[in-house]
Amino acid sequence: MRDQGVLNPNVIYRKTADGDNPVQLFVSPSQYIQGHGVIDRLGEYLSLCLSGCAGVLITPGRDAALAGIIDRSLKAGGLAVSKTVFRGESTLEEVHRVVTFFQGSEVQIRALIGIGGGKCLDTARMAASRLDVPAITVPTTASTDAPTAAHSVVYDRNGVFQNVEFSATNPLMVLVDLDIIAAAPPRYIVAGMGDAFSTFYEARCCMENPEARTARGARPTMAALAIARQCRDLLLEYGRAALDEVRSGRTGEALSRLVEANILLSGIGFESGGLAGAHGVAQGLTACSQLHRNCLHGELVAIGTMTQLIMETRMEEAREAARFFNGVGLPLNLARLGFDPLLRESELDDIVKHSLNVLFIRYEPFELTHALLKAGILEANDFGRAMERELS
């Protein structure tokens, strides 16, 4: 089993050959497959690069709905199957349980397939690293950009962000079935837009700050910035139409473009482009148990994006973001999430403290103090309320 404690790409990629100029790094999954009904061909696709036994980590709901399809598909591709059901939180304890389960399997697995939401996929990726097998991710919602990544978010048992853990490589395959994505509640598509919309603004922030680094310790590439910009542009062009398709039970071009933006473009854009204030604030918001329990990740990122743009005084972009968020149903202010920052000031202070402990929030183009970040969150909240009134 691989020793996960020593895997820190930052140590390697931060080194410079000439002692001065940092390296640039672009990472991505080996394959990204998106289409209607592709879950039926999962085994066939995997048979091109794998043989033997495939491990499966799947959420309870997806297991009830898809277990038969997945089992038939993998066996049709000549793969044996060993399966365990995800228990709800991407904690190190859950990772250990999954690793122990597959180590005790009668047949050694050759890959680990995660099927479900972002936390299930993160857990599968971390377990795959420890088992020294490739990870395959099959997202069942388009709510986050986690499926393509080579690193995973670790939470504690209460769901509070703890840290990020790295895998040596990105997933061997990401398989996105549009029919499965479309069948999920529309709220998940909307949350994915909130997560993806921040990608360009955070990548641009990192590109413009010569001290900023991606999560793997390198400088962002122009390719990643271009992908991040395309991600935002697709959201603005297709976001509302895609939501209309999902709500009406149709799956057309708008949904296809939107899903690619939410998962592939946002995933590559954030990992090779870098993160900054929006995700720093979003992770800080998980310090409030009510917000963590009741909100999806992308809904928190929407608040983070508004805060970042306000702190950077990019007011026209903040207005554009507010119009987009309002149009698709993302929150423009904390009140929409049931949190009044003025009445709950001590909790807001905890959120600010937690946000400042997130490394990538430091890549904003100014020194962030507790007072400055708190003021930024409050100003963004007031701005969001004003825009909400204006757009109603």
Side-chain angles (χ1 to χ4, degrees):
M1 185 175 73
R2 176 178 286 159
D3 180 3
Q4 203 63 20
V6 299
L7 187 58
N8 185 355
N10 284 268
V11 174
I12 297 172
Y13 291 118
R14 283 182 181 270
K15 295 177 181 177
T16 57
D18 60 4
D20 185 26
N21 296 304
V23 300
Q24 294 175 284
L25 176 68
F26 182 89
V27 295
S28 67
S30 297
Q31 299 179 67
Y32 178 88
I33 300 170
Q34 175 179 306
H36 294 282
V38 291
I39 192 70
D40 294 315
R41 302 184 67 186
L42 173 60
E44 189 176 355
Y45 295 135
L46 287 177
S47 70
L48 297 173
C49 51
L50 288 174
S51 61
C53 182
V56 174
L57 177 67
I58 187 168
T59 55
R62 296 300 88 198
D63 186 43
L66 301 173
I69 295 172
I70 292 162
D71 191 63
R72 287 192 298 272
S73 176
L74 292 174
K75 289 180 178 177
L79 295 164
V81 183
S82 177
K83 180 182 72 177
T84 185
V85 176
F86 180 57
R87 294 185 179 176
E89 192 62 78
S90 56
T91 63
L92 293 180
E93 291 84 358
E94 175 65 357
V95 173
H96 177 73
R97 183 194 69 79
V98 173
V99 169
T100 301
F101 174 86
F102 287 115
Q103 284 178 329
S105 180
E106 292 182 0
V107 181
Q108 182 178 358
I109 65 170
R110 300 292 301 276
L112 180 52
I113 307 169
I115 304 173
K119 290 185 178 183
C120 177
L121 304 188
D122 279 355
T123 302
R125 193 162 30 232
M126 289 188 280
S129 289
R130 287 162 171 77
L131 292 164
D132 202 17
V133 298
I136 291 96
T137 58
V138 182
T140 53
T141 69
S143 61
T144 76
D145 49 22
T148 66
H151 65 268
S152 306
V153 179
V154 180
Y155 295 90
D156 68 16
R157 292 180 181 180
N158 297 316
V160 177
F161 171 79
Q162 294 297 291
N163 60 278
V164 170
E165 183 176 296
F166 295 95
S167 300
T169 60
N170 292 70
L172 177 66
M173 180 187 295
V174 180
L175 184 129
V176 181
D177 191 312
L178 289 172
D179 297 327
I180 294 174
I181 298 295
R187 183 186 178 192
Y188 288 99
I189 286 278
V190 173
M193 295 189 217
D195 194 21
F197 196 81
S198 73
T199 307
F200 169 66
Y201 303 108
E202 293 183 279
R204 179 182 63 187
C205 178
C206 290
M207 182 63 76
E208 293 178 350
N209 180 357
E211 300 303 315
R213 299 291 184 270
T214 67
R216 300 183 83 80
R219 286 290 291 151
T221 63
M222 291 302 296
L225 182 63
I227 287 170
R229 181 182 289 108
Q230 180 68 9
C231 176
R232 180 203 56 185
D233 292 350
L234 285 176
L235 291 169
L236 290 171
E237 182 174 358
Y238 292 103
R240 294 187 70 168
L243 190 56
D244 289 342
E245 285 184 3
V246 169
R247 287 172 172 163
S248 64
R250 296 178 292 112
T251 53
E253 180 186 10
L255 179 65
S256 178
R257 296 283 186 256
L258 188 279
V259 169
E260 184 179 348
N262 277 13
I263 297 176
L264 179 61
L265 303 185
S266 181
I268 293 175
F270 96 79
E271 191 169 29
S272 293
L275 296 172
H279 270 77
V281 171
Q283 297 294 9
L285 289 168
T286 68
C288 171
S289 59
Q290 173 205 335
L291 293 178
H292 174 76
R293 286 194 309 268
N294 298 332
C295 303
L296 297 175
H297 173 70
E299 294 165 345
L300 302 181
V301 176
I303 297 296
T305 300
M306 297 300 298
T307 302
Q308 177 178 330
L309 292 174
I310 290 297
M311 289 194 302
E312 292 177 358
T313 63
R314 299 182 186 270
M315 302 310 296
E316 186 51 45
E317 289 182 336
R319 280 187 278 273
E320 180 180 56
R323 288 192 290 269
F324 175 73
F325 290 172
N326 186 72
V328 298
L330 284 162
L332 302 189
N333 56 74
L334 286 165
R336 283 294 175 186
L337 303 179
F339 185 93
D340 188 325
L342 296 179
L343 296 179
R344 301 168 69 172
E345 187 174 5
S346 64
E347 291 176 87
L348 177 60
D349 283 326
D350 287 341
I351 288 168
V352 171
K353 181 181 177 181
H354 204 75
S355 297
L356 290 172
N357 286 331
V358 179
L359 172 65
F360 37 80
I361 202 170
R362 304 173 197 169
Y363 296 147
E364 288 298 320
F366 37 77
E367 183 179 357
L368 270 175
T369 63
H370 186 102
L372 182 61
L373 180 56
K374 183 177 180 179
I377 293 173
L378 289 171
E379 184 179 349
N381 188 63
D382 290 342
F383 177 85
R385 293 176 63 186
M387 286 297 299
E388 196 172 58
R389 290 192 295 269
E390 178 182 317
L391 295 168
S392 62

